Amino acid sequence: MAERRLLVLFGSQTGTAQDTAERIGRGAKRQHLQCRVESLDSCDVANLIHEPLVVFVCATTGQGDPPDNMKMFWRFLFRKNLPAGSLCQLDYAVLGLGDSSYPKFNFVAKKLHKRLLQLGGNPLLPVALGDDQHDLGPDAVVDPWLLALWDKILALYPLPPGLEIISPNVRLPPKYTLHYLPEDSPHPDSGLLQPASPRVAPCELHPFAARVVSNQRVTAQSHFQDVRLIEFDIAGSGITFSAGDVVMIQPQNCPEDVQQFCQLLCLEPHRRFVLEPTEPGTSLPPLLPQPCTIQHLITHYLDISCVPRRSFFELLASFSTNELEREKLQEFSSAQGQEELYSYCNRPRRTTLEAMWDFPHTTCAIPADYLLDLIPRIRPRAFSIASSMLAHPERMQILMAVVRYKTRLSKPRRGLCSTWLASLNPEQGDVRVPLWVKKGGMKFPADPATPVIMIGPGTGVAPFRAAIQERVALGYRGNCLFFGCRHKSKDFYCQKEWEELVTKGLLTLFTAFSRDQEEKVYVQHRIMENGRLVWELLSSGNAHVYLAG
């Protein structure tokens, strides 16, 4: 009998595709299939020729781009020299997650499906195109497609005699078990974020612990928005970057939320544990130290401030001993309850921690072993780098608006990363932030004679500050910036810096302060007013135009 084995590979930017891939993995376990769930870049693509059955789950980002964790796979798969029949033994299915308000809707899934066909793969089903714009979200497509997928797979790989599909009412074992260490066991020195000289270039698995040098508010105290210019010391990190690059920052939960979470689940923050995979072959979470404290797990790993997904309520329902709470949780995890869930969670941006407060009987019954199944890990946040190494060697700066807004919930919503960064005070000692750098999408011209037109309203000016600093240091002229904000006196970022460059003849600056007069004036009005200059730069100067905001 054929080996009953399934590989689920995902390309995920925000976590939705990973969540769906893990849902497929749980479905496979219920069908008694051996199943691995991995990101596309962590699997060895050359081994695909030995895989009988693969489900691909992939999101599309930006303008039809593959997510970061499938870029190497993507480059390999589209190599011209791959033989046409190389995947002829592969049964596959592709599930795409996208947003039809973008022109390249589900471009990655469509292109992947077509390429696997070219290489001789046998599709089990037509490609599924989940759409964020649908009233019920991507699940409107995903739910029926998955039912059809399991039918196909069971027809090809029938259940062995004597086995039955595990009912949805039976809870699957956790991915890991938490083994608490005795209170008196010796504590190894925790070298979690040593600013030691790195052996590898800093990356997601090995971030550099950069010291915060300064954290300065650049908007007036009377202005509604708090915007910060934050400087990091990256000496000895091996990090290099150029204008247009992006810094990835790994944030952490605030101490009050961590304390509340521990109280709700009756967890002792200082208890130490080691994780053991339930199934052989499952790797441990790469960013968690072993042994680890409950406090570290909740502060640095579990995303208790994210808006919970349907899978959260599905697993939570299985712990519930309270009938009222269980009924509501089951409704939230059903296909029919998705509109209700959207109104409860997504519209008001309710956090995982707040949802747990609403189900207190269920929450205190959550076994610690299931925490890593229930709550996703905290994802890194991307910021445009707002400085140049040529102007500030061994330093890096970001320009960041602190995210804070109201919904119908009484407590204002706060951005996890920006609130944490804003709270860091370098005057209170050695404050460090885990970070690494990624190539950005903006490339500035290498030819000094090519003029550059930059349109950067608000904090969108960040990458252009890096570009202008870099170009000025290299002696490049032809720097033209359109900057817009509300008030000249309240949120005109880097005003002195721009004005000095204008005085020296190194920058042409056009500003639009939208609220400083009766009529609102925006950057596009300034571009129209200066249309002749813009056209001259484009037609005879062959200028490059950049827009960020």
Side-chain angles (χ1 to χ4, degrees):
M1 187 178 167
E3 192 184 0
R4 303 182 77 251
R5 162 171 123 233
L6 168 67
L7 176 61
V8 183
L9 295 173
F10 63 85
S12 186
Q13 196 71 23
T14 61
T16 312
Q18 181 175 352
D19 186 66
T20 305
E22 282 165 358
R23 176 183 169 188
I24 296 170
R26 291 191 295 275
K29 287 201 174 87
R30 295 191 184 278
Q31 323 274 345
H32 301 281
L33 286 154
Q34 274 185 303
C35 181
R36 294 199 332 273
V37 179
E38 293 178 4
S39 75
L40 278 151
D41 275 356
S42 67
C43 98
D44 184 353
V45 197
N47 279 342
L48 274 185
I49 57 168
H50 306 303
E51 292 294 339
L53 183 59
V54 181
V55 175
F56 298 87
V57 185
C58 35
T60 295
T61 67
Q63 304 303 315
D65 303 315
D68 291 338
N69 63 3
M70 67 177 282
K71 285 194 165 147
M72 290 175 341
F73 166 84
W74 198 243
R75 277 198 294 272
F76 181 91
L77 199 71
F78 284 91
R79 273 165 42 174
K80 299 270 191 294
N81 60 355
L82 295 183
S86 47
L87 295 179
C88 60
Q89 85 318 326
L90 176 75
D91 288 329
Y92 75 91
V94 176
L95 166 53
L97 297 169
D99 184 322
S100 57
S101 66
Y102 284 80
K104 293 205 166 178
F105 171 57
N106 263 317
F107 182 75
V108 170
K110 292 172 187 170
K111 199 169 172 186
L112 173 62
H113 183 72
K114 202 167 154 189
R115 181 61 174 154
L116 293 169
L117 262 178
Q118 282 175 351
L119 295 172
N122 318 301
L124 295 179
L125 291 171
V127 59
L129 306 176
D131 184 7
D132 251 355
Q133 291 297 317
H134 192 285
D135 288 347
L136 298 174
D139 286 345
V141 167
V142 174
D143 289 0
W145 187 85
L146 281 181
L147 290 174
L149 177 73
W150 297 128
D151 284 348
K152 285 274 186 191
I153 289 175
L154 279 176
L156 286 170
Y157 301 92
L159 282 168
L163 281 182
E164 286 187 7
I165 292 174
I166 300 168
S167 148
N169 305 327
V170 175
R171 191 192 321 146
L172 294 169
K175 203 170 179 182
Y176 306 103
T177 47
L178 242 86
H179 292 284
Y180 283 115
L181 300 177
E183 301 273 4
D184 51 3
S185 61
H187 282 235
D189 287 338
S190 84
L192 296 176
L193 262 181
Q194 289 309 335
S197 60
R199 285 161 296 289
V200 289
C203 59
E204 185 160 5
L205 295 181
H206 305 280
F208 176 72
R211 184 173 63 84
V212 179
V213 178
S214 62
N215 182 352
Q216 166 198 355
R217 180 171 172 143
V218 290
T219 44
Q221 287 300 330
S222 60
H223 190 57
F224 77 101
Q225 195 170 37
D226 180 356
V227 176
R228 302 299 177 102
L229 183 66
I230 303 177
E231 182 169 70
F232 303 103
D233 180 353
I234 55 165
S237 65
I239 287 176
T240 57
F241 59 87
S242 43
D245 286 350
V246 166
V247 60
M248 304 299 294
I249 291 180
Q250 184 65 46
Q252 61 185 56
N253 290 310
C254 71
E256 302 80 57
D257 284 359
V258 174
Q259 189 186 348
Q260 276 190 20
F261 186 88
C262 288
Q263 281 172 352
L264 264 176
L265 279 86
C266 308
L267 294 167
E268 296 173 49
H270 299 295
R271 280 305 295 273
R272 293 162 65 249
F273 65 87
V274 289
L275 284 181
E276 276 185 23
T278 314
E279 286 183 9
T282 306
S283 53
L284 290 166
L287 294 161
L288 268 188
Q290 288 265 60
C292 181
T293 63
I294 291 289
Q295 180 137 11
H296 183 91
L297 172 72
I298 301 162
T299 303
H300 298 280
Y301 195 84
L302 298 180
D303 196 353
I304 59 177
S305 76
C306 71
V307 176
R309 302 175 190 273
R310 176 178 169 180
S311 57
F312 169 84
F313 294 97
E314 201 173 307
L315 183 52
L316 203 55
S318 73
F319 307 127
S320 192
T321 50
N322 176 288
E323 203 175 331
L324 266 176
E325 289 187 6
R326 187 171 60 248
E327 276 177 15
K328 195 68 192 167
L329 291 165
Q330 283 169 339
E331 183 190 346
F332 282 160
S333 49
S334 70
Q336 305 76 19
Q338 289 315 288
E339 243 170 291
E340 183 83 12
L341 178 59
Y342 189 84
S343 301
Y344 171 71
C345 265
N346 303 64
R347 197 168 285 126
R349 310 302 296 165
R350 194 183 303 272
T351 69
T352 295
L353 182 59
E354 287 168 331
M356 290 171 116
W357 274 111
D358 286 348
F359 297 92
H361 298 93
T362 307
T363 295
C364 67
I366 297 170
D369 287 347
Y370 280 93
L371 285 175
L372 284 98
D373 296 84
L374 189 63
I375 301 171
R377 72 174 179 87
I378 300 174
R379 294 191 166 264
R381 303 323 199 238
F383 295 92
S384 292
I385 298 172
S387 61
S388 163
M389 296 186 93
L390 300 179
H392 303 275
E394 304 196 326
R395 294 280 197 265
M396 177 197 289
Q397 297 174 355
I398 61 170
L399 186 68
M400 173 199 83
V402 181
V403 177
R404 188 176 188 274
Y405 58 95
K406 284 288 291 173
T407 65
R408 64 180 168 78
L409 301 178
S410 59
K411 208 173 153 192
R413 308 291 87 194
R414 292 175 185 275
L416 174 67
C417 191
S418 61
T419 305
W420 171 60
L421 287 173
S423 75
L424 302 177
N425 182 356
E427 287 162 23
Q428 289 177 352
D430 192 24
V431 184
R432 294 189 179 260
V433 167
L435 53 76
W436 62 98
V437 164
K438 258 177 37 180
K439 277 276 153 249
M442 281 188 195
K443 298 275 179 289
F444 292 88
D447 180 357
T450 305
V452 172
I453 299 167
M454 295 161 279
I455 305 151
T459 52
V461 79
F464 304 138
R465 182 172 180 259
I468 291 165
Q469 286 182 359
E470 194 168 282
R471 289 172 60 81
V472 165
L474 292 168
Y476 294 8
R477 290 176 178 262
N479 305 310
C480 175
L481 174 65
F482 288 88
F483 173 76
C485 63
R486 290 197 175 195
H487 303 280
K488 183 175 184 176
S489 62
K490 291 185 177 178
D491 55 338
F492 187 3
Y493 315 133
C494 315
Q495 178 179 358
K496 268 176 64 182
E497 190 177 328
W498 303 138
E499 287 171 350
E500 278 172 24
L501 291 171
V502 170
T503 308
K504 291 176 182 166
L506 300 170
L507 175 68
T508 306
L509 175 69
F510 300 100
T511 52
F513 305 113
S514 62
R515 308 295 200 277
D516 276 354
Q517 61 287 307
E518 198 74 11
E519 288 274 293
K520 286 186 181 153
V521 177
Y522 297 112
V523 283
Q524 58 267 36
H525 299 121
R526 296 290 181 237
I527 294 168
M528 282 160 76
E529 287 165 17
N530 296 280
R532 182 172 286 178
L533 167 74
V534 171
W535 174 243
E536 201 174 294
L537 290 171
L538 287 170
S539 56
S540 53
N542 202 12
H544 290 203
V545 182
Y546 299 85
L547 173 66

